[in-house]
Amino acid sequence: MATTVEQHPAQTLNGAEHGREGIPVENPATGEIVATVPDLGADAVAEMAKNARAAQPAWEELGFEGRGRVLLRAQKWLMDNAKQVIETIVSETGKTYEDAEFAEIAYGANAFGFWAREAPNYLKDERVKSSQLLVKGKKIQLRYRPLGLIGVIGPWNYPLTNSFGDCIPAMAAGNAVILKPSEVTPLTSLLMAEGLRECGLPEHVLQIATGRGETGAALVEEVDMIMFTGSTATGRKVAEAAAKRLIPASLELGGKDPMLVLKDADVERAANVATYYSMQNAGQTCISIERVYVEAPVYDEFVAKVSEKVRALRVGKPDGFGSVEVGAITFPPQLETIKDHVADAVAKGAHVIAGGHELPGAGRFFEPTVLVDVDHSMKCMTEETFGPTLPIMKVKDEEEAIRLANDSPYGLGASVFTTDTARGSAVARRLEAGAANVNDAMVNYTVLELPMGGAKASGLGSRHGAGGIRKYCAQQALVVTSRVALKREPHMYPYRAKTSRLIARLFKFLYGRGRRD
Ligand code: NDP
């Protein structure tokens, strides 16, 4: 496809900027270079920030209705242009057409409508009642106002869902946004920005800062709040830089999601869910199923079903709907991590019962792989693999499954399979994860009404729900005293012993009455 680059004054068509080499964008399924984008430096990011700050007040002034109209037009634009957007996503990620349609287009379209509709509800002024005597009769309100300029740093695995899942609520709240997409997958962001402009988004309300890690670091220096999705290691760097500037940071980081299959589970459903949610997007999803613990009585049946289903998956270059189930490995170093985790497991005694190898040829592919006889001495059970691999471990009971599931620095998602949903919910509540599904996996991400965020090293803050838009705002407490108020209230100067003793007695009456046990 042709490059579609928002022209920054310092950019030229070959992607060069201020003498910096452009960044070539590769199709991971073919190895071909499909475009070159600019590698913007700190000066260009600073200029973008200046333009964004100039554009933001008018955007805020438009109000929820005016902003919502643009977002609803964008929802329609995305549906009308779905084919072009899917082809762009596939060209830079190598994912299947279904992975682009189900997990990116559908998410994006829903998100435009959701935030257009819900922003005014989540951000409207709240009338607050207080038990505090001093403010009786006063009007007390909580108000949310946009922070101004939000930086969004996106990863390469879902160029639409991950990045725009944050840009949309940030803009709906009245902020200007600068998005720094992954250097590996910048084209979807550029196309989406063009679409939004067609839908009437004012100039500079959303700008795309293409570049490498250095561009992301420069962005953190310019914005009022940073939303980051990516690895835990880079997330820490971003959090440190944000802390130095005292700006808020929200971080969605890595995961090692466990799946627990209890002995009373519907094994056929559990096997289908395990196969799909470990291999979908070639396993390159922060909430992929990365490891499975199966109670001994159903272990053999589960392993047999999963390995048969995984062996049947077609892997290779996507060529329209229905062409393959598993696409390419998007990020070159990821392939080395996947190979390393499989080799490490095998060296320590694991057995590969499906797949296990990189595919030869031009693109970057790894066979859908099932590992058994695994344990927590192996990287495949403790470190994020982010690939089409599924290690399965036999456990003696529910307690052991819970203990091992929680034996991880990560805590993004988790799932439990049992026909006893009360038991499933009780187990889910004991898992140290930001989200837990019973008899399903990953679907919580589609529920925009629910917070999506990680426990432990999986992140800080959350996206979606009320918190997913309020984080792009400053809270302001408003207390309004009527003009008919007393000229001098009893606690004010001058202090008089009699009045002070009376007030002290009043406090004792309010807070000190009655027995406590
Ligand atoms: P990174 O965390 O390095 O990159 C994420 C984003 O941050 C990219 O846009 C990257 O730019 C940018 N970035 C890099 N360095 C800095 C910096 N110092 N300051 C600000 N921004 C920066 O992830 P990778 O793409 O390298 O993937 C590494 C691992 O992260 C994967 O193997 C996987 O385990 C995990 N991951 C998790 C994801 C999730 O959804 N939680 C998504 C993707 C990856 P650039 O790409 O240009 O370097």
Side-chain angles (χ1 to χ4, degrees):
M1 63 151 271
T3 323
T4 45
V5 177
E6 181 187 8
Q7 283 296 295
H8 182 273
Q11 293 164 6
T12 66
L13 274 176
N14 66 5
E17 188 250 352
H18 288 309
R20 296 159 72 101
E21 285 267 300
I23 302 173
V25 181
E26 179 208 2
N27 181 336
T30 62
E32 287 161 7
I33 301 301
V34 291
T36 303
V37 299
D39 180 10
L40 298 183
D43 289 350
V45 174
E47 194 185 320
M48 281 180 161
K50 206 169 99 205
N51 291 334
R53 290 191 188 283
Q56 186 270 334
W59 175 241
E60 180 181 350
E61 199 55 34
L62 267 186
F64 291 116
E65 217 185 303
R67 296 194 294 271
R69 257 199 304 277
V70 175
L71 298 179
L72 289 174
R73 270 186 232 132
Q75 181 184 47
K76 177 80 167 57
W77 179 93
L78 184 55
M79 289 293 93
D80 292 346
N81 293 276
K83 188 166 179 291
Q84 189 192 358
V85 179
I86 290 177
E87 270 162 12
T88 304
I89 294 173
V90 172
S91 78
E92 62 182 349
T93 61
K95 68 174 68 185
T96 67
Y97 283 67
E98 280 83 352
D99 287 339
E101 170 73 47
F102 303 161
E104 303 236 50
I105 301 292
Y107 177 93
N110 185 28
F112 277 121
F114 176 80
W115 293 113
R117 203 173 54 243
E118 296 302 332
N121 297 328
Y122 287 138
L123 300 183
K124 66 175 178 247
D125 286 1
E126 285 173 29
R127 192 76 188 255
V128 174
K129 283 203 176 110
S130 173
S131 61
Q132 169 58 261
L133 261 192
L134 280 181
V135 296
K136 284 290 173 223
K138 298 181 197 281
K139 187 173 165 193
I140 307 173
Q141 281 175 300
L142 172 57
R143 175 228 170 176
Y144 298 95
R145 64 162 177 233
L147 282 164
L149 174 56
I150 307 298
V152 174
I153 299 180
W156 43 263
N157 57 342
Y158 287 95
L160 195 164
T161 295
N162 270 337
S163 303
F164 285 83
D166 299 312
C167 294
I168 299 167
M171 289 190 293
N175 295 288
V177 175
I178 300 177
L179 164 63
K180 188 337 228 151
S182 165
E183 71 187 71
V184 183
T185 57
L187 303 180
T188 306
S189 300
L190 293 166
L191 178 60
M192 289 292 295
E194 206 174 272
L196 274 153
R197 262 200 309 276
E198 269 179 42
C199 296
L201 187 73
E203 203 185 2
H204 299 137
V205 169
L206 173 70
Q207 297 172 90
I208 312 299
T210 55
R212 304 180 197 273
E214 196 191 309
T215 311
L219 183 59
V220 182
E221 298 302 319
E222 296 290 342
V223 294
D224 301 316
M225 185 272 181
I226 190 80
M227 171 69 221
F228 172 88
T229 307
S231 66
T232 298
T234 308
R236 279 205 174 92
K237 286 190 207 162
V238 168
E240 278 171 23
K244 283 205 182 103
R245 294 196 56 230
L246 283 180
I247 59 163
S250 185
L251 312 169
E252 212 257 70
L253 309 175
K256 189 73 191 168
D257 287 10
M259 170 180 181
L260 282 62
V261 182
L262 305 185
K263 61 182 179 235
D264 64 347
D266 174 342
V267 178
E268 176 64 19
R269 176 169 172 82
N272 280 323
V273 172
T275 304
Y276 184 65
Y277 287 111
S278 61
M279 303 300 163
Q280 175 269 353
N281 213 42
Q284 302 163 112
T285 304
C286 51
I287 46 174
S288 283
I289 296 173
E290 285 250 339
R291 52 195 171 119
V292 189
Y293 303 97
V294 189
E295 273 196 280
V298 290
Y299 175 81
D300 289 341
E301 185 190 353
F302 179 80
V303 168
K305 282 181 186 288
V306 168
S307 50
E308 190 191 330
K309 291 172 197 296
V310 169
R311 279 190 213 109
L313 299 178
R314 296 162 298 161
V315 57
K317 178 181 172 301
D319 192 15
F321 283 138
S323 52
V324 285
E325 276 87 26
V326 180
I329 305 303
T330 305
F331 183 51
Q334 204 63 45
L335 188 57
E336 300 314 310
T337 304
I338 297 164
K339 289 196 287 192
D340 175 49
H341 285 196
V342 172
D344 171 76
V346 171
K348 290 172 180 162
H351 290 97
V352 175
I353 56 167
H357 304 99
E358 177 184 0
L359 289 189
R364 209 164 30 245
F365 297 98
F366 197 83
E367 290 173 336
T369 296
V370 179
L371 291 156
V372 293
D373 301 323
V374 291
D375 61 42
H376 278 215
S377 70
M378 300 169 187
K379 292 182 192 174
C380 70
M381 294 300 280
T382 56
E383 295 178 19
E384 187 173 42
T385 308
F386 227 64
T389 57
L390 189 65
I392 308 174
M393 183 170 174
K394 190 196 288 189
V395 292
K396 68 174 188 300
D397 56 21
E398 181 183 299
E399 284 306 312
E400 188 181 17
I402 294 170
R403 182 177 61 75
L404 289 168
N406 288 338
D407 177 26
S408 171
Y410 295 113
L412 206 47
S415 56
V416 188
F417 285 74
T418 166
T419 44
D420 178 349
T421 51
R423 181 183 177 206
S425 299
V427 170
R429 283 167 187 268
R430 294 178 62 194
L431 297 175
E432 295 160 2
N437 293 282
V438 176
N439 294 322
D440 213 329
M442 226 193 263
V443 283
N444 62 285
Y445 200 95
T446 65
V447 187
L448 300 188
E449 294 79 359
L450 270 178
M452 164 68 213
K456 302 195 273 189
S458 288
L460 277 181
S462 56
R463 52 165 67 104
H464 302 166
I469 189 162
R470 288 181 183 162
K471 69 184 179 183
Y472 298 123
C473 298
Q475 296 180 13
Q476 189 179 35
L478 291 171
V479 180
V480 179
T481 302
S482 128
R483 65 191 167 85
V484 295
L486 292 174
K487 303 284 180 224
R488 189 184 75 85
E489 296 188 24
H491 65 282
M492 292 178 180
Y493 297 141
Y495 290 152
R496 292 197 184 95
K498 198 173 155 201
T499 317
S500 298
R501 274 195 290 271
L502 202 68
I503 293 175
R505 277 213 297 278
L506 181 63
F507 286 145
K508 189 160 183 197
F509 174 76
L510 284 174
Y511 308 126
R513 266 177 306 155
R515 291 166 62 90
R516 296 299 144 101
D517 294 309

